[in-house]
Amino acid sequence: MCSFYAIPYIKKQQNKNTSNIMMTFVKTFLCLILMCHIDALKPPIRIGAPAHSVSGDHISLEFYAALKNGNDKKNNLQRTLQNFIETLQKNLSTSDILNVGGNNLDLESGADKLARLYGLADYFEYASEMASSFGCVAENFFEVAKNESVNLLQKLRQVPSAQRYLPTKVKMRLTDYFAEMEYFHVMLSEVIDEALEYIVDTLRSTQTIFMRYADVQREILRMWNLRLDDWCINAYVDFLQFWSTEIFKCASRKDLSVAYDVYATTETTTTHIMRQLEFRIQRLYNCFIFGGYQIRCTFLYNPERDFHALFSKLEDLQQYLDIKIKRGRIQVARTRRLSEGQKYEKTYKQCIPKKFPENQMADSLKQCFYF
């Protein structure tokens, strides 16, 4: 039984305990607030963070934009040329010079007849522009791809630089690994340059032939004063149909088809390689995030084996180019000795005969012009 005099003492002790509990609660609450503010001021943790906090997207949007643009321009050129082939097979029946020699010819004015004839020249000029456009975007894509390879290599180098401490053995392995990747980049650039040279040369030759043939047609219509009677119009259309077919086939023969294939194969291989390099960046991130170099970083101990699949892919592309283009590295070197003007002039002469069109016109057709 408690003494009467002990009651005030007990109450005093209870008040003291309550006060201590409140003080402890307040201190804890203030510490939590302070810790939250400190954490908010800290920079985001990248190396050493959980794996899901590291982005796996290391290929730039510029690369994918250049990839899409190249495919779009290639498809545009293919559609343009394919439509023209179909038109030629139908004897120009669906072209802008529709029914020039048809029954409705007498109903057209001289200006309408000339406008229809100019349509064929306009088409060749448009096809020339499409070839030029594809050549530009193809060159841009492959240059972006080479730069992307350099950027991915730099990103790989930045991963270990964020580590405060790395074992000496790991540093040595990283040096060998980066050296292997740099060598791979050099080889990749050489193969890309070889493919790009063939594609650009072929497209520029096609562009030159189409544009010059369009200029020849316009010069005839402007300077030769074609008689616009039915016989002369029909005879000139027959002449245009034959030589347009010959020149078109010469300019867009198998070399252009090979250029399409070379671009598509090189683009596919390059894209695959970029994604593999991106994978290696993410894998190196994970290697340092989780530690345990002996277990998670085994790929560093044999760089040649790690890059073997990529080198094999690159070798397959090189062999494909040698077979498809039908020229080895020696012949490539010989071709480079020629100036661009010499190469395109040679191709032009192969497709457009000497002194065209005077030497190719029949005397009866020449009578339709007032020189």
Side-chain angles (χ1 to χ4, degrees), residues 278-294:
E278 182 181 52
F279 161 75
R280 280 159 174 76
I281 293 176
Q282 187 64 36
R283 185 179 56 179
L284 194 59
Y285 267 122
N286 295 340
C287 170
F288 291 116
I289 286 170
F290 297 106
Y293 304 114
Q294 296 291 338

Side-chain angles (χ1 to χ4, degrees), residues 143 146 188-198 336:
E143 289 299 327
K146 290 191 293 184
L188 174 64
S189 297
E190 289 183 359
V191 175
I192 287 178
D193 286 340
E194 185 174 340
L196 177 61
E197 181 184 16
Y198 178 81
R336 287 173 179 169

Side-chain angles (χ1 to χ4, degrees), residues 129-174:
E129 293 173 354
M130 290 295 99
S132 175
S133 179
F134 176 39
C136 290
V137 298
E139 186 172 7
N140 177 68
F141 168 72
F142 288 127
E143 289 299 327
V144 169
K146 290 191 293 184
N147 293 335
E148 195 70 18
S149 176
V150 174
N151 294 336
L152 292 175
L153 175 59
Q154 291 176 347
K155 284 188 176 183
L156 265 175
R157 287 188 172 279
Q158 290 172 0
V159 175
S161 65
Q163 298 295 307
R164 295 181 180 178
Y165 171 76
L166 284 176
T168 303
K169 290 184 178 180
V170 175
K171 290 182 179 179
M172 294 175 61
R173 301 300 181 185
L174 282 171

Side-chain angles (χ1 to χ4, degrees), residues 174-326:
L174 282 171
T175 300
D176 295 339
Y177 192 80
F178 291 146
E180 190 72 10
M181 185 172 181
E182 287 177 351
Y183 177 66
F184 176 78
H185 167 71
V186 172
M187 298 300 296
L188 174 64
S189 297
E190 289 183 359
V191 175
I192 287 178
D193 286 340
E194 185 174 340
L196 177 61
E197 181 184 16
Y198 178 81
I199 294 169
V200 171
D201 284 351
T202 301
L203 291 172
R204 286 179 179 171
S205 296
T206 302
Q207 172 196 356
T208 301
I209 295 167
F210 284 169
M211 182 57 72
R212 291 196 181 184
Y213 183 56
D215 291 340
V216 168
Q217 293 180 65
R218 291 196 179 102
E219 182 180 0
I220 292 174
L221 294 174
R222 284 196 299 260
M223 307 298 295
W224 288 28
N225 298 317
L226 173 65
R227 286 164 48 189
L228 300 180
D229 60 73
D230 291 353
W231 190 92
C232 286
I233 290 291
N234 290 333
Y236 184 57
V237 167
D238 290 340
F239 176 83
L240 279 180
Q241 181 178 351
F242 175 79
W243 281 106
S244 295
T245 303
E246 293 298 310
I247 293 172
F248 180 87
K249 288 181 178 179
C250 178
S252 60
R253 55 190 174 183
K254 62 180 182 179
D255 285 349
L256 191 56
S257 297
V258 171
Y260 292 146
D261 294 340
V262 167
Y263 178 82
T265 303
T266 308
E267 172 259 308
T268 301
T269 302
T270 302
T271 303
H272 170 77
I273 288 174
M274 293 303 146
R275 287 171 178 163
Q276 286 298 310
L277 295 179
E278 182 181 52
F279 161 75
R280 280 159 174 76
I281 293 176
Q282 187 64 36
R283 185 179 56 179
L284 194 59
Y285 267 122
N286 295 340
C287 170
F288 291 116
I289 286 170
F290 297 106
Y293 304 114
Q294 296 291 338
I295 299 175
R296 296 187 178 276
C297 304
T298 54
F299 59 91
L300 293 177
Y301 290 83
N302 197 335
E304 293 182 1
R305 184 173 63 184
D306 189 60
F307 278 90
H308 176 73
L310 291 182
F311 274 107
S312 296
K313 197 77 174 176
L314 204 56
E315 185 178 357
D316 291 342
L317 178 60
Q318 179 65 69
Q319 292 177 356
Y320 170 84
L321 294 178
D322 289 340
I323 295 173
K324 201 73 174 177
I325 299 175
K326 294 183 179 179

